[in-house]
Amino acid sequence: MAVSKQDILDAFHFRHACKEFDAERKIPGADFDFILETARLSPSSFGLEPWRFLVVQNPQLRETLREFTWGGQKQLPTASHVVLTLVRKSHFMRYDSAYLQYMMREVQHYPEDIIQLRNGLIEKFQRSDFDLLGSERTLTDWATRQTYLPLANMMTAAALIGIDSCPIEGFERAEVERILAEQAGVDLAQWAAAYMVAFGYRKNPPPRPKTRQSLEQVVEWLV
């Protein structure tokens, strides 16, 4: 079951923000199911899973989204698969929402005494520890941060099996959400767009080597 450390590091070096994919190459279904499964199994704060993953394969819908996606002009038409991740809006992420009660009872299967304990813990966390209840935007932003955990896991999992990816935040969110509501039936009272991520096989090698600051520049040990 163990994967070598070198294999994992090789995958991180392999991964880059692929700007254009080979449109003729398609990811096998089993491989993409594997990528989606790593998203499903990803962690989130209190295990609340504030996400939904739309796999956008309709070429016409991709082209419509592309008009308002300045960061995906080459990726959207050429990617084998595109995932658009939605995040639950603030009303559904409050400590006292029906959604949180559903998650604890129907998904996490906590007993009633633990649910009451967690209700108080989550309220304290949202109200005072992280001060998340001051505005709807603050709570939605907190939920959105959780969705970047499956994003990272999907891209790493793809790289481990030789599949390229590109995360995309460069889009006009209001227009993208309008299109999703009109053409995909997304309920904007419940969902907001978090990001897109494209998957496929690179058309060209990366234009330059990966650049990062050194470990010493980004890590400080407190001993």
Side-chain angles (χ1 to χ4, degrees):
M1 184 172 178
V3 179
S4 77
K5 293 190 286 291
Q6 189 58 54
D7 285 344
I8 295 171
L9 289 175
D10 288 346
F12 274 87
H13 282 286
F14 169 84
R15 193 217 64 80
H16 73 294
C18 185
K19 302 305 183 187
E20 185 175 6
F21 298 92
D22 182 347
E24 300 303 314
R25 296 188 65 188
K26 302 302 178 185
I27 299 171
D31 286 350
F32 199 72
D33 287 345
F34 160 74
I35 292 170
L36 291 176
E37 183 69 353
T38 67
R40 187 184 75 87
L41 294 174
S42 294
S44 56
S45 186
F46 297 101
L48 296 177
E49 303 177 39
W51 47 59
R52 184 181 179 194
F53 305 102
L54 304 181
V55 184
V56 184
Q57 297 302 87
N58 183 298
Q60 184 176 353
L61 178 55
R62 282 200 201 179
E63 191 60 29
T64 304
L65 291 169
R66 182 170 173 250
E67 181 180 352
F68 301 100
T69 306
W70 52 266
Q73 289 297 292
K74 291 185 178 180
Q75 295 93 327
L76 288 184
T78 61
S80 171
H81 292 68
V82 173
V83 175
L84 196 158
T85 298
L86 303 177
V87 60
R88 289 186 184 273
K89 288 189 171 179
S90 59
H91 170 77
F92 298 89
M93 298 308 299
R94 279 181 56 95
Y95 67 91
D96 54 356
S97 71
Y99 173 71
L100 264 65
Q101 301 308 305
Y102 156 77
M103 285 297 298
M104 288 189 284
R105 287 184 168 86
E106 304 299 325
V107 178
Q108 298 168 336
H109 303 297
Y110 285 119
E112 195 60 33
D113 59 332
I114 299 299
I115 289 173
Q116 297 309 314
L117 182 66
R118 285 176 64 83
N119 281 338
L121 180 63
I122 296 171
E123 179 181 6
K124 177 179 180 294
F125 172 81
Q126 292 185 348
R127 188 177 298 283
S128 59
D129 293 351
F130 270 58
D131 190 22
L132 298 175
L133 301 181
S135 71
E136 291 187 6
R137 177 64 183 267
T138 302
L139 194 56
T140 300
D141 284 350
W142 168 70
T144 301
R145 291 198 294 273
Q146 311 307 312
T147 70
Y148 283 77
L149 296 168
L151 171 63
N153 287 339
M154 284 190 286
M155 292 191 299
T156 299
L160 281 165
I161 58 174
I163 292 172
D164 290 293
S165 61
C166 184
I168 302 169
E169 277 189 322
F171 56 86
E172 299 175 37
R173 186 163 67 178
E175 292 296 333
V176 164
E177 290 176 350
R178 176 185 60 79
I179 293 165
L180 293 175
E182 292 175 356
Q183 299 192 26
V186 173
D187 181 0
L188 298 183
Q190 183 172 358
W191 300 101
Y195 56 79
M196 303 178 198
V197 55
F199 296 93
Y201 299 95
R202 64 189 68 180
K203 182 177 181 179
N204 301 303
R208 59 176 184 157
K210 186 182 293 288
T211 58
R212 294 292 188 273
Q213 296 180 77
S214 71
L215 197 64
E216 291 74 21
Q217 289 173 302
V218 299
V219 175
E220 179 181 356
W221 288 71
L222 305 179
V223 296

PDB file of all heavy atoms in Angstrom, residues 29-43 49 51 53 55 83 150 153-154 157-158 199:
ATOM      1  N   GLY A  29     -12.157   6.404 -18.369  1.00  0.00           N
ATOM      2  CA  GLY A  29     -13.179   6.587 -17.345  1.00  0.00           C
ATOM      3  C   GLY A  29     -12.742   6.162 -15.962  1.00  0.00           C
ATOM      4  O   GLY A  29     -13.018   6.851 -14.965  1.00  0.00           O
ATOM      5  N   ALA A  30     -12.056   5.020 -15.866  1.00  0.00           N
ATOM      6  CA  ALA A  30     -11.620   4.530 -14.555  1.00  0.00           C
ATOM      7  C   ALA A  30     -10.624   5.477 -13.916  1.00  0.00           C
ATOM      8  O   ALA A  30     -10.626   5.667 -12.691  1.00  0.00           O
ATOM      9  CB  ALA A  30     -11.016   3.130 -14.695  1.00  0.00           C
ATOM     10  N   ASP A  31      -9.764   6.095 -14.730  1.00  0.00           N
ATOM     11  CA  ASP A  31      -8.786   7.039 -14.192  1.00  0.00           C
ATOM     12  C   ASP A  31      -9.476   8.294 -13.669  1.00  0.00           C
ATOM     13  O   ASP A  31      -9.102   8.826 -12.614  1.00  0.00           O
ATOM     14  CB  ASP A  31      -7.757   7.417 -15.258  1.00  0.00           C
ATOM     15  CG  ASP A  31      -6.761   6.298 -15.530  1.00  0.00           C
ATOM     16  OD1 ASP A  31      -6.755   5.309 -14.772  1.00  0.00           O
ATOM     17  OD2 ASP A  31      -5.996   6.416 -16.504  1.00  0.00           O
ATOM     18  N   PHE A  32     -10.494   8.771 -14.402  1.00  0.00           N
ATOM     19  CA  PHE A  32     -11.152   9.980 -13.917  1.00  0.00           C
ATOM     20  C   PHE A  32     -12.030   9.692 -12.708  1.00  0.00           C
ATOM     21  O   PHE A  32     -12.156  10.530 -11.812  1.00  0.00           O
ATOM     22  CB  PHE A  32     -11.957  10.660 -15.019  1.00  0.00           C
ATOM     23  CG  PHE A  32     -12.242  12.092 -14.685  1.00  0.00           C
ATOM     24  CD1 PHE A  32     -11.224  13.037 -14.717  1.00  0.00           C
ATOM     25  CD2 PHE A  32     -13.510  12.494 -14.284  1.00  0.00           C
ATOM     26  CE1 PHE A  32     -11.464  14.360 -14.361  1.00  0.00           C
ATOM     27  CE2 PHE A  32     -13.761  13.813 -13.943  1.00  0.00           C
ATOM     28  CZ  PHE A  32     -12.729  14.749 -13.982  1.00  0.00           C
ATOM     29  N   ASP A  33     -12.609   8.503 -12.662  1.00  0.00           N
ATOM     30  CA  ASP A  33     -13.352   8.110 -11.459  1.00  0.00           C
ATOM     31  C   ASP A  33     -12.429   8.116 -10.242  1.00  0.00           C
ATOM     32  O   ASP A  33     -12.835   8.519  -9.143  1.00  0.00           O
ATOM     33  CB  ASP A  33     -13.961   6.723 -11.634  1.00  0.00           C
ATOM     34  CG  ASP A  33     -15.159   6.727 -12.587  1.00  0.00           C
ATOM     35  OD1 ASP A  33     -15.690   7.822 -12.889  1.00  0.00           O
ATOM     36  OD2 ASP A  33     -15.551   5.630 -13.032  1.00  0.00           O
ATOM     37  N   PHE A  34     -11.195   7.661 -10.427  1.00  0.00           N
ATOM     38  CA  PHE A  34     -10.198   7.681  -9.353  1.00  0.00           C
ATOM     39  C   PHE A  34      -9.935   9.110  -8.894  1.00  0.00           C
ATOM     40  O   PHE A  34      -9.882   9.390  -7.684  1.00  0.00           O
ATOM     41  CB  PHE A  34      -8.908   7.019  -9.846  1.00  0.00           C
ATOM     42  CG  PHE A  34      -7.680   7.375  -9.063  1.00  0.00           C
ATOM     43  CD1 PHE A  34      -7.467   6.856  -7.795  1.00  0.00           C
ATOM     44  CD2 PHE A  34      -6.719   8.223  -9.601  1.00  0.00           C
ATOM     45  CE1 PHE A  34      -6.327   7.193  -7.069  1.00  0.00           C
ATOM     46  CE2 PHE A  34      -5.578   8.558  -8.894  1.00  0.00           C
ATOM     47  CZ  PHE A  34      -5.381   8.046  -7.623  1.00  0.00           C
ATOM     48  N   ILE A  35      -9.782  10.039  -9.828  1.00  0.00           N
ATOM     49  CA  ILE A  35      -9.546  11.437  -9.475  1.00  0.00           C
ATOM     50  C   ILE A  35     -10.731  11.992  -8.686  1.00  0.00           C
ATOM     51  O   ILE A  35     -10.558  12.659  -7.650  1.00  0.00           O
ATOM     52  CB  ILE A  35      -9.290  12.268 -10.749  1.00  0.00           C
ATOM     53  CG1 ILE A  35      -7.951  11.859 -11.386  1.00  0.00           C
ATOM     54  CG2 ILE A  35      -9.298  13.767 -10.441  1.00  0.00           C
ATOM     55  CD1 ILE A  35      -7.721  12.435 -12.766  1.00  0.00           C
ATOM     56  N   LEU A  36     -11.952  11.723  -9.141  1.00  0.00           N
ATOM     57  CA  LEU A  36     -13.131  12.204  -8.431  1.00  0.00           C
ATOM     58  C   LEU A  36     -13.256  11.580  -7.046  1.00  0.00           C
ATOM     59  O   LEU A  36     -13.712  12.241  -6.099  1.00  0.00           O
ATOM     60  CB  LEU A  36     -14.393  11.902  -9.248  1.00  0.00           C
ATOM     61  CG  LEU A  36     -14.571  12.699 -10.539  1.00  0.00           C
ATOM     62  CD1 LEU A  36     -15.808  12.208 -11.285  1.00  0.00           C
ATOM     63  CD2 LEU A  36     -14.680  14.195 -10.261  1.00  0.00           C
ATOM     64  N   GLU A  37     -12.838  10.337  -6.912  1.00  0.00           N
ATOM     65  CA  GLU A  37     -12.923   9.676  -5.606  1.00  0.00           C
ATOM     66  C   GLU A  37     -12.001  10.342  -4.593  1.00  0.00           C
ATOM     67  O   GLU A  37     -12.324  10.435  -3.402  1.00  0.00           O
ATOM     68  CB  GLU A  37     -12.607   8.181  -5.744  1.00  0.00           C
ATOM     69  CG  GLU A  37     -12.739   7.373  -4.462  1.00  0.00           C
ATOM     70  CD  GLU A  37     -14.172   7.210  -3.972  1.00  0.00           C
ATOM     71  OE1 GLU A  37     -15.103   7.823  -4.541  1.00  0.00           O
ATOM     72  OE2 GLU A  37     -14.369   6.456  -3.003  1.00  0.00           O
ATOM     73  N   THR A  38     -10.845  10.841  -5.059  1.00  0.00           N
ATOM     74  CA  THR A  38      -9.966  11.549  -4.130  1.00  0.00           C
ATOM     75  C   THR A  38     -10.599  12.864  -3.690  1.00  0.00           C
ATOM     76  O   THR A  38     -10.353  13.332  -2.565  1.00  0.00           O
ATOM     77  CB  THR A  38      -8.577  11.818  -4.744  1.00  0.00           C
ATOM     78  OG1 THR A  38      -8.673  12.758  -5.824  1.00  0.00           O
ATOM     79  CG2 THR A  38      -7.930  10.537  -5.221  1.00  0.00           C
ATOM     80  N   ALA A  39     -11.409  13.474  -4.540  1.00  0.00           N
ATOM     81  CA  ALA A  39     -12.158  14.664  -4.127  1.00  0.00           C
ATOM     82  C   ALA A  39     -13.197  14.296  -3.075  1.00  0.00           C
ATOM     83  O   ALA A  39     -13.327  14.957  -2.043  1.00  0.00           O
ATOM     84  CB  ALA A  39     -12.816  15.320  -5.330  1.00  0.00           C
ATOM     85  N   ARG A  40     -13.943  13.237  -3.334  1.00  0.00           N
ATOM     86  CA  ARG A  40     -14.996  12.820  -2.400  1.00  0.00           C
ATOM     87  C   ARG A  40     -14.438  12.491  -1.026  1.00  0.00           C
ATOM     88  O   ARG A  40     -15.061  12.774   0.006  1.00  0.00           O
ATOM     89  CB  ARG A  40     -15.741  11.603  -2.962  1.00  0.00           C
ATOM     90  CG  ARG A  40     -16.953  11.187  -2.147  1.00  0.00           C
ATOM     91  CD  ARG A  40     -17.585   9.928  -2.704  1.00  0.00           C
ATOM     92  NE  ARG A  40     -16.799   8.739  -2.391  1.00  0.00           N
ATOM     93  CZ  ARG A  40     -16.916   8.031  -1.260  1.00  0.00           C
ATOM     94  NH1 ARG A  40     -17.759   8.409  -0.316  1.00  0.00           N
ATOM     95  NH2 ARG A  40     -16.179   6.946  -1.069  1.00  0.00           N
ATOM     96  N   LEU A  41     -13.252  11.895  -0.985  1.00  0.00           N
ATOM     97  CA  LEU A  41     -12.661  11.465   0.286  1.00  0.00           C
ATOM     98  C   LEU A  41     -11.862  12.557   0.980  1.00  0.00           C
ATOM     99  O   LEU A  41     -11.278  12.319   2.036  1.00  0.00           O
ATOM    100  CB  LEU A  41     -11.750  10.254   0.035  1.00  0.00           C
ATOM    101  CG  LEU A  41     -12.452   8.980  -0.430  1.00  0.00           C
ATOM    102  CD1 LEU A  41     -11.430   7.903  -0.785  1.00  0.00           C
ATOM    103  CD2 LEU A  41     -13.415   8.469   0.638  1.00  0.00           C
ATOM    104  N   SER A  42     -11.847  13.754   0.422  1.00  0.00           N
ATOM    105  CA  SER A  42     -11.036  14.831   0.988  1.00  0.00           C
ATOM    106  C   SER A  42     -11.598  15.327   2.320  1.00  0.00           C
ATOM    107  O   SER A  42     -12.802  15.254   2.570  1.00  0.00           O
ATOM    108  CB  SER A  42     -10.957  16.000   0.002  1.00  0.00           C
ATOM    109  OG  SER A  42     -10.243  15.626  -1.151  1.00  0.00           O
ATOM    110  N   PRO A  43     -10.738  15.860   3.172  1.00  0.00           N
ATOM    111  CA  PRO A  43     -11.187  16.384   4.462  1.00  0.00           C
ATOM    112  C   PRO A  43     -11.808  17.767   4.319  1.00  0.00           C
ATOM    113  O   PRO A  43     -11.601  18.469   3.323  1.00  0.00           O
ATOM    114  CB  PRO A  43      -9.879  16.466   5.276  1.00  0.00           C
ATOM    115  CG  PRO A  43      -8.827  16.708   4.236  1.00  0.00           C
ATOM    116  CD  PRO A  43      -9.269  15.931   3.015  1.00  0.00           C
ATOM    117  N   GLU A  49     -18.213  18.861   4.322  1.00  0.00           N
ATOM    118  CA  GLU A  49     -18.300  18.660   2.873  1.00  0.00           C
ATOM    119  C   GLU A  49     -19.135  19.741   2.173  1.00  0.00           C
ATOM    120  O   GLU A  49     -20.165  19.440   1.561  1.00  0.00           O
ATOM    121  CB  GLU A  49     -18.894  17.281   2.567  1.00  0.00           C
ATOM    122  CG  GLU A  49     -18.129  16.117   3.174  1.00  0.00           C
ATOM    123  CD  GLU A  49     -18.796  14.780   2.892  1.00  0.00           C
ATOM    124  OE1 GLU A  49     -19.311  14.603   1.769  1.00  0.00           O
ATOM    125  OE2 GLU A  49     -18.818  13.927   3.797  1.00  0.00           O
ATOM    126  N   TRP A  51     -19.362  21.111  -0.593  1.00  0.00           N
ATOM    127  CA  TRP A  51     -19.049  21.174  -2.018  1.00  0.00           C
ATOM    128  C   TRP A  51     -19.966  20.313  -2.877  1.00  0.00           C
ATOM    129  O   TRP A  51     -20.656  19.410  -2.412  1.00  0.00           O
ATOM    130  CB  TRP A  51     -17.604  20.742  -2.247  1.00  0.00           C
ATOM    131  CG  TRP A  51     -17.198  19.469  -1.542  1.00  0.00           C
ATOM    132  CD1 TRP A  51     -17.755  18.218  -1.672  1.00  0.00           C
ATOM    133  CD2 TRP A  51     -16.140  19.322  -0.592  1.00  0.00           C
ATOM    134  NE1 TRP A  51     -17.106  17.312  -0.875  1.00  0.00           N
ATOM    135  CE2 TRP A  51     -16.102  17.959  -0.202  1.00  0.00           C
ATOM    136  CE3 TRP A  51     -15.194  20.208  -0.052  1.00  0.00           C
ATOM    137  CZ2 TRP A  51     -15.178  17.476   0.727  1.00  0.00           C
ATOM    138  CZ3 TRP A  51     -14.276  19.713   0.870  1.00  0.00           C
ATOM    139  CH2 TRP A  51     -14.278  18.358   1.247  1.00  0.00           C
ATOM    140  N   PHE A  53     -19.414  18.854  -7.125  1.00  0.00           N
ATOM    141  CA  PHE A  53     -18.491  18.861  -8.258  1.00  0.00           C
ATOM    142  C   PHE A  53     -19.271  18.642  -9.557  1.00  0.00           C
ATOM    143  O   PHE A  53     -19.870  17.587  -9.753  1.00  0.00           O
ATOM    144  CB  PHE A  53     -17.420  17.777  -8.091  1.00  0.00           C
ATOM    145  CG  PHE A  53     -16.672  17.880  -6.786  1.00  0.00           C
ATOM    146  CD1 PHE A  53     -16.966  17.023  -5.732  1.00  0.00           C
ATOM    147  CD2 PHE A  53     -15.692  18.845  -6.610  1.00  0.00           C
ATOM    148  CE1 PHE A  53     -16.285  17.119  -4.528  1.00  0.00           C
ATOM    149  CE2 PHE A  53     -15.001  18.954  -5.410  1.00  0.00           C
ATOM    150  CZ  PHE A  53     -15.298  18.087  -4.367  1.00  0.00           C
ATOM    151  N   VAL A  55     -19.038  18.032 -13.422  1.00  0.00           N
ATOM    152  CA  VAL A  55     -18.124  17.633 -14.494  1.00  0.00           C
ATOM    153  C   VAL A  55     -18.717  18.162 -15.796  1.00  0.00           C
ATOM    154  O   VAL A  55     -19.738  17.663 -16.283  1.00  0.00           O
ATOM    155  CB  VAL A  55     -17.943  16.105 -14.535  1.00  0.00           C
ATOM    156  CG1 VAL A  55     -16.913  15.733 -15.602  1.00  0.00           C
ATOM    157  CG2 VAL A  55     -17.499  15.582 -13.167  1.00  0.00           C
ATOM    158  N   VAL A  83     -13.838  20.166 -14.275  1.00  0.00           N
ATOM    159  CA  VAL A  83     -14.645  20.142 -13.058  1.00  0.00           C
ATOM    160  C   VAL A  83     -14.879  21.573 -12.605  1.00  0.00           C
ATOM    161  O   VAL A  83     -13.939  22.359 -12.494  1.00  0.00           O
ATOM    162  CB  VAL A  83     -13.949  19.342 -11.936  1.00  0.00           C
ATOM    163  CG1 VAL A  83     -14.748  19.442 -10.627  1.00  0.00           C
ATOM    164  CG2 VAL A  83     -13.785  17.880 -12.339  1.00  0.00           C
ATOM    165  N   PRO A 150     -10.044  19.374  -1.728  1.00  0.00           N
ATOM    166  CA  PRO A 150     -10.216  18.409  -2.827  1.00  0.00           C
ATOM    167  C   PRO A 150      -9.556  18.863  -4.123  1.00  0.00           C
ATOM    168  O   PRO A 150      -9.136  18.019  -4.917  1.00  0.00           O
ATOM    169  CB  PRO A 150     -11.737  18.285  -2.982  1.00  0.00           C
ATOM    170  CG  PRO A 150     -12.323  19.436  -2.249  1.00  0.00           C
ATOM    171  CD  PRO A 150     -11.349  19.776  -1.175  1.00  0.00           C
ATOM    172  N   ASN A 153      -6.042  17.692  -3.827  1.00  0.00           N
ATOM    173  CA  ASN A 153      -5.990  16.232  -3.882  1.00  0.00           C
ATOM    174  C   ASN A 153      -6.244  15.703  -5.285  1.00  0.00           C
ATOM    175  O   ASN A 153      -5.594  14.750  -5.736  1.00  0.00           O
ATOM    176  CB  ASN A 153      -6.989  15.631  -2.895  1.00  0.00           C
ATOM    177  CG  ASN A 153      -6.536  15.772  -1.458  1.00  0.00           C
ATOM    178  OD1 ASN A 153      -5.352  15.960  -1.190  1.00  0.00           O
ATOM    179  ND2 ASN A 153      -7.463  15.702  -0.527  1.00  0.00           N
ATOM    180  N   MET A 154      -7.195  16.310  -6.000  1.00  0.00           N
ATOM    181  CA  MET A 154      -7.458  15.873  -7.366  1.00  0.00           C
ATOM    182  C   MET A 154      -6.235  16.090  -8.262  1.00  0.00           C
ATOM    183  O   MET A 154      -5.874  15.209  -9.053  1.00  0.00           O
ATOM    184  CB  MET A 154      -8.662  16.621  -7.951  1.00  0.00           C
ATOM    185  CG  MET A 154      -9.999  16.143  -7.454  1.00  0.00           C
ATOM    186  SD  MET A 154     -11.390  16.853  -8.392  1.00  0.00           S
ATOM    187  CE  MET A 154     -11.406  18.546  -7.774  1.00  0.00           C
ATOM    188  N   ALA A 157      -3.464  13.591  -7.261  1.00  0.00           N
ATOM    189  CA  ALA A 157      -3.826  12.240  -7.693  1.00  0.00           C
ATOM    190  C   ALA A 157      -3.657  12.098  -9.199  1.00  0.00           C
ATOM    191  O   ALA A 157      -3.143  11.078  -9.692  1.00  0.00           O
ATOM    192  CB  ALA A 157      -5.270  11.930  -7.290  1.00  0.00           C
ATOM    193  N   ALA A 158      -4.078  13.128  -9.939  1.00  0.00           N
ATOM    194  CA  ALA A 158      -3.915  13.083 -11.393  1.00  0.00           C
ATOM    195  C   ALA A 158      -2.442  12.998 -11.768  1.00  0.00           C
ATOM    196  O   ALA A 158      -2.049  12.187 -12.625  1.00  0.00           O
ATOM    197  CB  ALA A 158      -4.548  14.325 -12.023  1.00  0.00           C
ATOM    198  N   PHE A 199      -8.534  18.931 -16.682  1.00  0.00           N
ATOM    199  CA  PHE A 199      -7.676  17.748 -16.683  1.00  0.00           C
ATOM    200  C   PHE A 199      -7.494  17.235 -18.104  1.00  0.00           C
ATOM    201  O   PHE A 199      -8.409  17.323 -18.931  1.00  0.00           O
ATOM    202  CB  PHE A 199      -8.276  16.629 -15.828  1.00  0.00           C
ATOM    203  CG  PHE A 199      -8.403  16.948 -14.369  1.00  0.00           C
ATOM    204  CD1 PHE A 199      -9.581  17.479 -13.868  1.00  0.00           C
ATOM    205  CD2 PHE A 199      -7.348  16.735 -13.496  1.00  0.00           C
ATOM    206  CE1 PHE A 199      -9.710  17.776 -12.516  1.00  0.00           C
ATOM    207  CE2 PHE A 199      -7.459  17.028 -12.154  1.00  0.00           C
ATOM    208  CZ  PHE A 199      -8.643  17.549 -11.662  1.00  0.00           C
TER     209      PHE A 199
END
